[in-house]
């Protein structure tokens, strides 16, 4: 079952419409520029999947490249010199593609002007349909994780007393983009010393001290798919309570990986990790066209894992002035999981 | 007249509603995280300005900090462990704030579920209302331009044969973020050699050659306001036609700056630059809460400049295997303009 077949199953005879960037990417191959926010003189792409399986993308002529082979681009003017209302034009084009039949929509993503009659909202169903990856998606995630591994190695190598967190970040990001061969978006926590107690945060001008911890959580997007991993590194010999906490987080990670397999319950996996550790965040989440996606691994959202899901697992534990977290990405298989992350998890 | 007064004038007795990130920032001080795209488990903030001038922001509890002093945050759950539909909750909260009276909305930005009765669309009027800056906004843009200048100096210093464009980019970005003291979004073109003919583009793995040009256009966002500037640098002695083209672009920039003043026509400014040069892009644009905003300086969109507008001016010219562009940001005044950019424009 390919992703397009899964989308058609959600649509169930209706025309499917979405402007959610993840769904658009998933169905068309479009990789949006995201690092600078939405363009004020453009409009987000809108994907239309008709019941026969044809995929069309309403998109700026500037962004119509790189689509999957059988996706048709229906374009509005790009960012050039014309003074036209590109958002209105995108809505007009999408309306002309949708026609008069029943529509299944990712409603929260659609511009209000597009919704002139009742559409069935299938947003959450689609989020779940994206959770199982096709083989080409798994390969793309492997490539993103190789880049993530390069970032983890660079952060570890750069970590030294007297440097700022920003300096560590710049070397880490340079290694990530050099591995990718291009400028790419990166989701990142990079905190040192007592800031590790805050779970995460952006790099600051804080100077690394001689006995600091570094907590580094990296998620680069490579060719439209996200990697994700976290490690904690210590300068010098950390105190016993930190070593013990790190060992406990590592054991919790090993413990939840042992539970992962097709048919496993995400709530039970979450409970297993929380039984030994305390942390104010998810135990894990899907990774793919978004950095956080289904299946969420949290206490009150039970999901049954399926083969082909790709999930990040990240138990941690945090004190008053320290914090540790270890994270790997795994591919769910019929009888267990394959660990995709290859970075160093040692303290 | 402050920005809130301008917004109230647009609303004209109606409740004003927008989820456009620029309008939200402008009215509330909220600076959204944008570098990694929209969060799949959150919802964009929605601002509600009631006719009495009260500003409320429907926002994730994770992002409710840093608002202007008299803005009230109305929060929905942040990204933690709960499995709730944050987009639906954001719409519910916004509906409760809007009430039953007439609504002036930035319609293209609003989630469809929020628009259950006719709202008047004031999107384009609001875009224009944002073009004139308050004094605190001009100061914020000055700070962003100082950071931009630091990036231009770093790119120039890094430019050397045998290096990749990505290496130049990493040093440039590191200098920008070091000047800002934090990780920030940056809009950038960084191209060398024949790639300069393409007007712009992201840095690649291309190796710089001994007689290359570097075209570097940088727009960092600092505390929610964008800088913008462009320069071209030559390694060695460039050929006569490139030197002449660069001199012509510089003269065109000086020529359009001489036309800028309150009351001037943007179309006439555009025509003046295009009279001597040929380029497939705008002559200029406003800068502020977005990197491209009103007033657009293009052939078919005549705007009358007003004191307090901040505009980037960027004439260029491009050949088969070379391109040049020079760009500065200026503040429109009653009798001319003040140049805010301080970077080196020499070839």
């Amino acid at each position: 079952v390919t992703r397009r077949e899964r989308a058609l199953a959600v649509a169930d005879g209706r025309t499917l419409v979405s402007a959610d960037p993840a769904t658009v990417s998933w169905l068309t191959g479009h990789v949006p520029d995201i690092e600078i926010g939405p363009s004020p003189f453009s409009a987000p792409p809108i994907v239309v999947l008709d019941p026969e399986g044809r995929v069309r993308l309403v998109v700026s002529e500037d962004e119509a490249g790189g689509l999957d082979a059988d996706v048709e681009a229906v374009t509005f003017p790009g960012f050039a010199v014309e003074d036209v209302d590109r958002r209105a034009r995108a809505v007009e084009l999408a309306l002309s593609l949708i026609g008069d039949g029943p529509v299944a929509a990712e409603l929260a993503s659609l511009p209000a002007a597009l919704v002139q009659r009742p559409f069935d909202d299938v947003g959450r169903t689609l989020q779940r349909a994206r959770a199982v990856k096709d083989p080409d998606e798994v390969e793309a995630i492997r490539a993103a994780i190789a880049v993530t591994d390069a970032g983890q190695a660079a952060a570890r190598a750069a970590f030294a007393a007297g440097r700022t967190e920003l300096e560590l970040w710049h070397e880490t990001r340079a290694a990530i983009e050099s591995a990718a061969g291009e400028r790419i978006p990166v989701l990142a926590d990079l905190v040192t010393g007592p800031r590790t107690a805050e779970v995460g945060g952006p790099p600051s001008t804080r100077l690394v001290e001689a006995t600091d911890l570094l907590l580094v959580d990296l998620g680069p997007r490579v060719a439209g798919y996200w990697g994700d991993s976290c490690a904690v590194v210590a300068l010098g010999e950390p105190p016993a309570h930190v070593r013990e906490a790190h060992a406990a987080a590592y054991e919790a990670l090993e413990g939840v990986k042992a539970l992962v397999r097709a048919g496993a319950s995400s709530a039970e996996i979450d409970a297993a990790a929380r039984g030994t550790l305390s942390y104010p965040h998810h135990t894990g989440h899907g990774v793919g066209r978004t950095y956080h996606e289904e299946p969420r691994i949290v206490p009150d959202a039970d999901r049954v894992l399926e083969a082909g899901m790709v999930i990040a697992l990240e138990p941690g534990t945090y004190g008053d002035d320290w914090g540790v977290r270890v994270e790997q990405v795994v591919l769910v298989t019929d009888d267990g999981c394959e660990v995709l992350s290859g970075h160093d998890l040692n303290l």
Side-chain angles (χ1 to χ4, degrees), chain A residues 68-86:
Chain A
D68 292 340
D70 59 351
V71 174
E72 182 189 344
V74 178
T75 63
F76 55 85
F79 180 72
V81 296
E82 296 85 2
D83 183 44
V84 298
D85 187 337
R86 291 160 179 83

Side-chain angles (χ1 to χ4, degrees), chain A residues 222-292:
Chain A
V222 179
Y225 284 87
W226 295 83
D228 197 356
S229 68
C230 188
V232 172
V233 190
L235 281 184
E237 179 66 10
H241 66 279
V242 170
R243 277 184 282 124
E244 286 159 15
H246 188 269
Y250 185 83
E251 275 174 42
L253 176 60
E254 293 298 310
V256 293
K257 283 192 293 185
L259 297 176
V260 171
R261 62 174 47 79
S265 145
S266 70
E268 286 176 18
I269 291 169
D270 184 83
R274 274 182 224 278
T276 59
L277 296 175
S278 172
Y279 45 92
H281 54 71
H282 50 210
T283 296
H285 55 86
V287 174
R289 285 290 189 183
T290 52
Y291 47 85
H292 290 150

Side-chain angles (χ1 to χ4, degrees), chain A residues 186-212:
Chain A
V186 187
L187 172 66
D189 293 314
L190 195 158
V191 291
T192 61
R195 291 190 73 209
T196 57
E198 298 162 20
V199 178
S204 75
T205 54
R206 181 181 183 276
L207 284 168
V208 174
E209 297 180 11
T211 59
D212 270 357

